[in-house]
Amino acid sequence: MSFSEPEPPVLSSSLPSSTFAFAADAQEFYDPHDAQLVSDSELLLLDDGNNRPDCKQPYADNCFTRAVKYELDFESYTATIVWQFAFQVEL
């Protein structure tokens, strides 16, 4: 049995840019992954927040991970947070 080499991943720079804006600047995500559409207009993702402004290692007030669900409005092309859970580490 022989195995072939896997295909190289598609680089994100080759993907089209988003046409959606956030309803407010504070609703942006900063290191998203595992995004899934849970309905025709809801997007659920994990946001590690590593690139959040003022996030310095090891921890700071603006460093946190969260699960976040957005409502996608396909008429105004805005994404609005409808639910989130953030666990902040207290040292």
Side-chain angles (χ1 to χ4, degrees), residues 4 13-14 18 23-24 32 51 70 85:
S4 62
S13 61
S14 66
S18 174
N51 301 316
Y70 292 92
F85 175 79

Side-chain angles (χ1 to χ4, degrees), residues 14-79:
S14 66
L15 299 175
S17 62
S18 174
T19 55
F20 277 82
F22 294 96
D25 289 342
Q27 296 190 7
E28 290 186 42
F29 47 76
Y30 294 95
D31 194 5
H33 59 93
D34 294 311
Q36 296 182 18
L37 282 171
V38 293
S39 76
D40 288 342
S41 63
E42 293 176 310
L43 176 69
L44 180 66
L45 58 85
L46 296 174
D47 176 15
D48 286 345
N50 299 340
N51 301 316
R52 185 172 279 112
D54 299 324
C55 179
K56 308 261 188 285
Q57 292 298 329
Y59 295 100
D61 290 339
N62 291 323
C63 291
F64 58 92
T65 297
R66 65 183 176 167
V68 60
K69 184 166 65 171
Y70 292 92
E71 179 72 29
L72 303 177
D73 183 330
F74 287 94
E75 290 184 15
S76 66
Y77 290 98
T78 57

